[in-house]
Amino acid sequence: MAFEEKVIVIDFGGQYNQLVARRVRECNVYCEIYSYRTPIEKIKDMAPKGIILTGGPNSCYEEGAPSYARELFELGIPVLGLCYGAQLMMHILGGKVEKAPVREYGKTLTFIDSSKDTLFAGIKDETIVWMSHTDYISKAAPGFDIIAHTADCPVAAAACEEKKLYAIQFHPEVLHTVRGKEILFNFVRKICGTLGTWRMDSFVENTIGQIREKVGDGKVLLALSGGVDSSVLAALLAKAIGKQLTCVFVDHGLLRKNEGDEVESVFGPEGSFDINFIRVNAAERYYAKLKGVEEPERKRKIIGEEFIRVFEEEAKKIGAVDFLAQGTIYPDVVESGLGGESAVIKSHHNVGGLPDFVDFKEIIEPLRSLFKDEVRKAGLELGLPEYLVYRQPFPGPGLGIRIIGEVNAEKVRIVQDADFIYREEVAAAGLQKLPDQYFAALSNMRSVGVMGDERTYDYAVVLRAVETVDFMTAEASNIPFDVLQKVMSRIINEVKGVNRVMYDLTSKPPGTVELE
């Protein structure tokens, strides 16, 4: 999808590359991420309104360190270097970068030397920023003015106003930099001169038109999981092509309580979208395949393979289609190593390989340019209910990995009921937007308890709630104790087979968000 105005992020291996792009889009400007290996000619052809260089783990002065052609700074396009990107800019243009006598990490008081400078417009005297560096700029490049410093960093920011080149040692994209959003807004909107036309209503309208043009009178097949991405994609396709779309919803019996029925109520015959909807209730089939299996990765593999088998059977009944739709979103592209420079985080089912069991001509991925928060906004524009759009993140294998050990129907019932109570009480307390993800899991531990006058030997449920910006790191959420007490009491009294409830305080790292 082409956009009239665009800012590009050149990735040097920085951990915050996606966050930089998201912050630019929050300024209503479209942004994409490219590796530092991207040829300069391609950059020129894209004609971006601005360029941002990310941080990275290397020292720019070392042999073999990621670099870029000096020509980048001579295109007449505004460039903003962040951390490593700032150091690289100074290094290439004649400044000096070396090991810092004092390393800076975390929140740092920074003094603004030139609040008149466009980059720091509206920010006076001093502010708190997020530093993360062992090297520092000891001398700014010729033609650059120092516009900010810290107690230990003489060049916290430098600017060449004439050429619209800016280097800042800190990370404005993270929330810990108090005025970070304003700094990026100043660069993207004021310095780059963008109009801020990137909005969800225009994206939805334009994409619907593009889908109609591409699909024509063809048929489209979509595997609908019930998650946010596939649901928004189904709604988008439904608005564009109606009955030309067939959605196959495989209910593997590992969804949250009532979730299968909720999906059908939106997309099924009684829903508001006029599409072909097929629900396959395959719970017993999955439970049989998972019997006796305890190892998490093997469970994941079985669940994924069985989904393919079920979908394959339904696809054969449908016959040939013209397009296979997939809910790929922008982080999938980046994390699969196709959109930036950072190490491949995961191989994603939506990118890289196409299913060979479906008879189709072409794949379409209308959400490929969106981040998750933008997908949610698109869903609301399309008229999806809020409970579906803001549904908690849910892994593809579902409750299969929230049940430690063997999966069976009884354990699924326990974790569904416990999770439902947990989510119900969190919502009743008005806390549902406090944790970024929260759920109940079922441990494989059974212990002795006393209920009434009888001894019990039942399972322990584990409650998890985390707060995070990007799910790369996470902290346990501080759910009020009285809420946890109420959840515990209800689970033990209402969910048969449970006599103990625990709260997981582990951060990520060393733990993960999910238990398996």
Side-chain angles (χ1 to χ4, degrees), residues 104 107-115 117 119-120 123-131 133 136-140 145-159 167-170 183:
E104 287 183 312
K107 295 180 180 179
T108 306
L109 180 63
T110 299
F111 302 94
I112 307 301
D113 299 315
S114 176
S115 60
D117 180 85
L119 192 65
F120 293 143
I123 304 171
K124 296 181 179 180
D125 300 331
E126 57 188 49
T127 187
I128 297 294
V129 305
W130 185 260
M131 289 284 192
H133 65 100
Y136 80 135
I137 301 165
S138 58
K139 181 182 178 183
D145 296 318
I146 297 172
I147 58 174
H149 71 280
T150 72
D152 298 307
C153 185
V155 187
I168 57 179
Q169 182 60 69
F170 53 89
I183 294 169

Side-chain angles (χ1 to χ4, degrees), residues 34 109 147 155 159 181 202 279 421 446 479 485:
Y34 292 91
L109 180 63
I147 58 174
V155 187
K181 289 184 179 181
S202 57
R279 178 175 178 175
I421 289 170
R446 300 181 75 182
I479 302 293
Q485 283 283 89

Side-chain angles (χ1 to χ4, degrees), residues 452-516:
D453 295 323
E454 296 182 0
R455 288 166 66 87
T456 60
Y457 187 64
D458 287 328
Y459 287 104
V461 161
V462 179
L463 305 179
R464 183 78 161 132
V466 299
E467 294 176 25
T468 177
V469 173
D470 53 15
F471 286 90
M472 295 175 64
T473 61
E475 296 290 337
S477 185
N478 187 19
I479 302 293
F481 188 70
D482 60 330
V483 176
L484 293 176
Q485 283 283 89
K486 189 170 184 180
V487 173
M488 175 275 297
S489 179
R490 282 195 60 192
I491 288 175
I492 288 177
N493 281 285
E494 298 175 31
V495 183
K496 185 179 179 182
V498 178
N499 67 359
R500 199 173 294 267
V501 176
M502 301 181 290
Y503 189 69
D504 185 355
L505 290 171
T506 315
S507 62
K508 175 186 179 181
T512 57
V513 174
E514 299 287 345
L515 273 64
E516 281 202 345

Side-chain angles (χ1 to χ4, degrees), residues 250-452:
V250 178
D251 186 346
H252 48 30
L254 301 170
L255 297 172
R256 289 166 287 205
K257 188 171 183 177
N258 302 330
E259 206 160 69
D261 293 339
E262 289 174 358
V263 172
E264 184 169 358
S265 70
V266 174
F267 294 104
E270 304 303 319
S272 55
F273 297 98
D274 186 24
I275 61 172
N276 299 305
F277 177 83
I278 300 170
R279 178 175 178 175
V280 184
N281 294 307
E284 295 306 320
R285 180 170 171 171
Y286 274 85
Y287 298 158
K289 289 283 184 179
L290 292 167
K291 186 175 181 179
V293 179
E294 297 188 1
E295 204 277 318
E297 284 306 311
R298 192 171 165 219
K299 286 196 288 185
R300 281 187 175 91
K301 188 174 182 180
I302 289 171
I303 293 167
E305 288 178 347
E306 196 60 18
F307 173 83
I308 291 174
R309 298 285 80 80
V310 176
F311 187 55
E312 177 182 16
E313 291 168 11
E314 294 303 317
K316 285 180 177 176
K317 295 176 188 176
I318 295 166
V321 295
D322 300 285
F323 299 91
L324 179 67
Q326 291 192 155
T328 307
I329 64 174
Y330 199 50
D332 300 333
V333 177
V334 176
E335 292 175 2
S336 300
L338 302 177
E341 181 54 34
S342 300
V344 175
I345 298 170
K346 62 181 178 181
S347 57
H348 194 275
H349 68 280
N350 279 339
V351 289
L354 301 180
D356 55 8
F357 55 81
V358 179
D359 186 4
F360 70 99
K361 297 175 183 177
E362 191 176 346
I363 192 165
I364 55 173
E365 300 170 310
L367 305 179
R368 188 182 177 91
S369 63
L370 300 187
F371 285 103
K372 177 70 80 172
D373 55 332
E374 294 171 324
V375 173
R376 295 186 195 279
K377 290 176 185 176
L380 294 176
E381 285 288 335
L382 290 160
L384 286 174
E386 281 199 15
Y387 71 80
L388 196 157
V389 171
Y390 289 106
R391 179 167 279 162
Q392 285 279 306
F394 195 56
L399 299 180
I401 59 169
R402 291 185 181 173
I403 295 172
I404 311 302
E406 181 185 6
V407 175
N408 56 44
E410 176 66 7
K411 288 184 175 180
V412 169
R413 176 196 61 79
I414 290 173
V415 76
Q416 281 181 334
D417 289 347
D419 181 73
F420 184 82
I421 289 170
Y422 185 28
R423 288 187 286 123
E424 194 171 58
E425 289 301 329
V426 167
L431 301 171
Q432 63 267 40
K433 291 188 178 180
L434 174 63
D436 293 287
Q437 185 168 348
Y438 58 101
F439 57 88
L442 183 63
S443 76
N444 205 24
M445 181 187 84
R446 300 181 75 182
S447 62
V448 173
V450 178
M451 298 183 74

Side-chain angles (χ1 to χ4, degrees), residues 70-138:
R70 183 187 179 98
E71 188 182 354
L72 183 74
F73 306 104
E74 299 168 350
L75 298 175
I77 299 171
V79 181
L80 172 64
L82 310 179
C83 197
Y84 180 88
Q87 295 169 2
L88 181 65
M89 181 189 295
M90 294 295 98
H91 178 69
I92 290 174
L93 297 179
K96 189 173 182 180
V97 179
E98 55 188 325
K99 286 290 181 188
V102 178
R103 298 181 297 177
E104 287 183 312
Y105 287 101
K107 295 180 180 179
T108 306
L109 180 63
T110 299
F111 302 94
I112 307 301
D113 299 315
S114 176
S115 60
K116 293 181 181 178
D117 180 85
T118 317
L119 192 65
F120 293 143
I123 304 171
K124 296 181 179 180
D125 300 331
E126 57 188 49
T127 187
I128 297 294
V129 305
W130 185 260
M131 289 284 192
S132 179
H133 65 100
T134 54
D135 291 338
Y136 80 135
I137 301 165
S138 58

